[in-house]
Amino acid sequence: MISLLSTLLNGLSLGSVYAIIALGYTMVYGIAKMLNFAHGDVIMIGAYISFSAIFYWGLHPILGFLLAMLVCTVLGIVIESLAYKPLRQATSLAVLITAIGMSYLLQNSAQLIWGANTKAFPKMFSLPDASLFGGAITISNNTISMLNDQLKISGNMLLTILACVIIMVSLVLFINKTKMGKAMRCVSEDKGAAELMGVNVNKTISMTFAIGSALAAVAGVLLCASYPSLQPTTGAMPGIKAFTAAVFGGIGSIPGAMVGGILLGVIEKLGQTYVSDQLGDAFAFAVLIIVLLVKPTGLLGKKVHEKV
């Protein structure tokens, strides 16, 4: 029972990171109708900024966290302005190749600035002890583990899950209740009609990239805080898995990104625990193949009819 619970909690924590990353993917696709495959590398940049702020500059972890969000927000706007804005009328293939090129540019830039060697990410957060089912739940900065009747849970795990829920609720309220959120929905439906109605399409798309990149910074810090290893390719695999989660839940759907991310994390951890530790990635991508075969629009995605 405790072993299954620990696996599920591990999966929920990992899935929450995937969900936060997937939210950035799904927002950009839903509004700009493009796949930003450089998104995973923005995660890595955010983690490096936080690492530098704490390790080199001696800032408090919270300040490092906020600085990472700020830098990645600006970076997202710059990437959109320089790389994607000139390609608004270009083919999907041209945008895809540009996104891959931007991904390699970010990875190699990080390697030049911080080096190629793996760095140990510093301790970020800690929470007080708690108890459950009569057994001790020790909250530390290690990943969840089980020892006899004791269930050890990391503070980072609880923080990641809580952050995912808060971000999800905030985004839904932002999209549905604010003027900018309504503009994003208009642009998502029809860019031309939105522009005729007075919506600034360029500003709206830039804001989408800014929000998505800020979320990438949050995900990068939370990921490296739970798995304290950082290198220029850190964001590559989580980025691909988050894209899988976005497709799984229904690309373009914010609730779908959260559901897809959490389910993908749980499935991956269950597979690693009860089948093979070496096949975790295979389970994640098997999910993508099955979803594309059975329900191409994803769990919460809607079928879009092409206009003639």
Side-chain angles (χ1 to χ4, degrees):
M1 174 63 183
I2 294 181
S3 177
L4 177 61
L5 180 60
S6 68
T7 301
L8 291 175
L9 288 173
N10 264 321
L12 186 60
S13 174
L14 180 61
S16 295
V17 174
Y18 290 159
I20 295 172
I21 304 170
L23 286 170
Y25 271 116
T26 207
M27 283 187 67
V28 170
Y29 179 82
I31 294 168
K33 294 297 183 289
M34 62 159 290
L35 294 172
N36 178 23
F37 280 111
H39 190 66
D41 299 288
V42 178
I43 297 167
M44 172 267 298
I45 295 295
Y48 267 118
I49 294 297
S50 182
F51 170 83
S52 299
I54 298 169
F55 188 78
Y56 295 123
W57 308 330
L59 297 180
H60 190 276
I62 299 298
L63 293 178
F65 182 67
L66 295 175
L67 181 62
M69 289 183 64
L70 177 62
V71 171
C72 285
T73 298
V74 175
L75 178 63
I77 295 173
V78 171
I79 289 174
E80 191 277 329
S81 299
L82 297 180
Y84 300 136
K85 187 176 179 180
L87 301 177
R88 290 279 163 79
Q89 306 302 322
T91 62
S92 298
L93 181 60
V95 177
L96 177 62
I97 293 172
T98 301
I100 295 173
M102 181 58 65
S103 172
Y104 282 109
L105 175 63
L106 292 176
Q107 285 185 24
N108 284 275
S109 297
Q111 184 172 332
L112 287 173
I113 296 171
W114 290 285
N117 59 311
T118 302
K119 292 178 170 54
F121 201 78
K123 178 179 177 181
M124 290 288 294
F125 313 105
S126 61
L127 295 174
D129 292 347
S131 62
L132 181 66
F133 302 145
I137 294 183
T138 303
I139 300 175
S140 65
N141 278 280
N142 301 316
T143 57
I144 185 170
S145 60
M146 179 188 66
L147 180 62
N148 297 328
D149 61 342
Q150 291 187 340
L151 190 64
K152 293 185 178 181
I153 305 177
S154 72
N156 291 326
M157 174 187 297
L158 300 179
L159 182 62
T160 301
I161 296 170
L162 180 62
C164 180
V165 173
I166 292 174
I167 289 171
M168 167 66 189
V169 173
S170 300
L171 273 180
V172 170
L173 292 175
F174 175 78
I175 294 294
N176 292 316
K177 301 295 183 182
T178 66
K179 184 177 179 180
M180 179 55 71
K182 293 176 182 178
M184 288 179 177
R185 284 188 287 150
C186 290
V187 173
S188 175
E189 289 293 329
D190 192 317
K191 290 187 181 67
E195 197 164 11
L196 290 174
M197 295 297 293
V199 176
N200 189 328
V201 173
N202 289 330
K203 179 181 178 182
T204 303
I205 294 177
S206 294
M207 180 61 69
T208 304
F209 270 84
I211 294 173
S213 298
L215 293 180
V218 173
V221 172
L222 292 176
L223 177 67
C224 290
S226 296
Y227 304 91
S229 175
L230 180 58
Q231 57 189 24
T233 56
T234 290
M237 186 57 71
I240 294 173
K241 289 181 180 178
F243 170 68
T244 302
V247 174
F248 185 20
I251 190 108
S253 168
I254 291 178
M258 181 175 180
V259 171
I262 290 175
L263 287 178
L264 188 69
V266 170
I267 291 169
E268 182 178 332
K269 285 298 181 182
L270 286 173
Q272 287 178 341
T273 302
Y274 295 106
V275 180
S276 171
D277 187 55
Q278 305 300 319
L279 295 177
D281 294 345
F283 281 107
F285 298 121
V287 167
L288 176 62
I289 295 171
I290 293 170
V291 169
L292 289 176
L293 290 174
V294 177
K295 197 175 186 298
T297 57
L299 296 177
L300 302 181
K302 297 179 181 179
K303 188 174 182 179
V304 178
H305 298 280
E306 293 290 337
K307 296 179 182 179
V308 179

